[in-house]
Amino acid sequence: MKRFRSRFFLTLSSLGFVACQPAPPREAGTAVLPPAAVRLATVTTTTTTTLRRLPGTVQAVARATVATPTTGTVLRADFTLGQRVEADETLVVLDAAALRAQVEQATAALDLATRNHEREAGLRDQGASPAETVRTLAAQQRIAAAQLATAQAQLAYATVRAPFAGTITRRFVEPGDLAAPGIPLFALEGDALEVQVNVPESLPPLSVGSTVTVELDGALAPSRVREVSAAVDPTTRTRLARLTLALNGPAHAGQFARVRWPDISATEIIVPSSAVTTFGQMSQVFVARDGHAQLRLVRVGPSSAATTPIIAGLAPGEHVVLNPPASLRDGQALDVVAP
């Protein structure tokens, strides 16, 4: 009987202990966050033009490989490589004995033709010579005059002069060599320089007069487009462009240059950099939508201290929160403060 009582007492005690335990707490409802005071900025677009750095070569604007249209032995070649010469300066002299003889012969022929024409013209005036004879002698006189002019021109070609001021870049003859038509004597380059560049056909062509930047030994020089070929080379798929070159420092023909040629323009979506925050490797912004903050993940491009380009995630005209506070949550009401 005692054993039963003991068991009963323990059972009652256990029930009483359980009954005295406090009830578990009730789950509280989600707290409503107060509106966050924020400033907004509008998502805008900008058009940017990237630049392609094309290899180019410095060349002289005026270049000439000089030959003579006559034949003769070179008596003098008064120039050296790299020599600066002036326009019309004598550089090569040929043996002109044969040419002078031709001039004398043509001069004598013209004198004879002139006298014959004058004699017959006087006889015609006296009625002693037919008019046809006078016309024939007049034609012979003109032929003799033309032959003299040709001989004098050939004699002039025996003295070869610089066609313009510049620098001697090649020397092809020495005294004693035989000069003949088509055989070069020397090469000359003028003082004015330009840059020649082959522009890929995929790049937009620029009109004559457009300005581009040329890099030369670390220096930047604004240059103007002088000429652009309308035809594309079928092998390289490029078109030739010639640019003026005006540098304060020295430059020389054959020098390597880089030309900053504009590429196709592109439109970018940009936001102030202060609107973009990072979470791990993700970039995010808060967009103001119907008076509440909407968290938006975005893809960004290379940014600056002022602006950040948005590759994906935003549309122009939307409004983003500037300097979002750390306590701002998705869906929280916004109290927009005037900037």
Side-chain angles (χ1 to χ4, degrees):
M1 184 67 181
K2 290 180 179 180
R3 185 178 298 173
F4 176 77
R5 287 178 180 176
S6 176
R7 290 177 179 175
F8 182 74
F9 177 77
L10 291 174
T11 302
L12 291 176
S13 299
S14 299
L15 290 172
F17 177 78
V18 173
C20 293
Q21 289 293 322
R26 298 170 59 185
E27 292 185 8
T30 303
V32 178
L33 298 176
V38 297
R39 292 186 301 111
L40 302 181
T42 304
V43 180
T44 59
T45 61
T46 183
T47 301
T48 58
T49 301
T50 58
L51 298 175
R52 292 271 293 275
R53 299 173 69 240
L54 305 178
T57 304
V58 177
Q59 297 284 1
V61 175
R63 291 173 291 167
T65 299
V66 180
T68 178
T70 191
T71 301
T73 303
V74 176
L75 295 180
R76 291 163 38 203
D78 299 330
F79 61 91
T80 58
L81 285 177
Q83 178 181 336
R84 179 75 168 75
V85 298
E86 299 300 329
D88 208 35
E89 182 177 342
T90 299
L91 299 179
V92 177
V93 177
L94 306 182
D95 183 3
L99 298 175
R100 282 193 292 269
Q102 293 177 6
V103 171
E104 292 177 0
Q105 181 181 4
T107 302
L110 177 59
D111 290 342
L112 178 60
T114 300
R115 289 196 305 270
N116 291 337
H117 175 262
E118 291 176 349
R119 184 186 66 251
E120 292 299 323
L123 294 175
R124 179 200 57 191
D125 294 340
Q126 298 174 8
S129 179
E132 181 61 27
T133 301
V134 176
R135 286 194 293 268
T136 300
L137 292 176
Q140 291 176 355
Q141 183 184 20
R142 291 194 298 272
I143 292 173
Q147 290 174 343
L148 176 60
T150 301
Q152 290 173 338
Q154 292 295 321
L155 179 60
Y157 290 141
T159 302
V160 183
R161 296 178 171 83
F164 48 81
T167 302
I168 300 295
T169 58
R170 298 287 300 274
R171 177 187 177 109
F172 298 103
V173 295
E174 298 294 339
D177 289 346
L178 179 66
I183 298 179
L185 303 175
F186 58 87
L188 178 67
E189 292 186 352
D191 299 327
L193 298 176
E194 67 179 7
V195 174
Q196 295 187 6
V197 57
N198 292 316
V199 182
E201 65 174 341
S202 59
L203 295 182
L206 296 181
S207 59
V208 174
S210 301
T211 301
V212 296
T213 300
V214 173
E215 304 174 23
L216 192 64
D217 284 344
L220 301 181
S223 302
R224 184 173 53 83
V225 178
R226 292 183 61 244
E227 297 178 0
V228 179
S229 175
V232 175
D233 188 298
T235 303
T236 63
R237 311 308 307 175
T238 60
R239 56 170 58 90
L240 178 65
R242 301 174 64 184
L243 318 174
T244 59
L245 182 62
L247 283 177
N248 294 328
H252 57 269
Q255 194 170 359
F256 178 79
R258 290 278 188 187
V259 178
R260 296 182 179 181
W261 196 274
D263 204 339
I264 299 175
S265 300
T267 300
E268 288 183 331
I269 297 175
I270 59 170
V271 297
S273 296
S274 61
V276 181
T277 58
T278 58
F279 181 75
Q281 295 183 348
M282 297 182 296
S283 299
Q284 61 186 23
V285 298
F286 281 97
V287 178
R289 194 174 188 85
D290 298 329
H292 292 77
Q294 182 184 77
L295 182 63
R296 190 87 58 84
L297 297 179
V298 294
R299 286 179 57 199
V300 301
S303 62
S304 65
T307 60
T308 297
I310 302 298
I311 300 175
L314 287 177
E318 292 187 303
H319 297 85
V320 293
V321 177
L322 296 176
N323 299 304
S327 59
L328 185 61
R329 295 293 181 266
D330 185 28
Q332 185 174 350
L334 297 178
D335 180 14
V336 180
V337 178

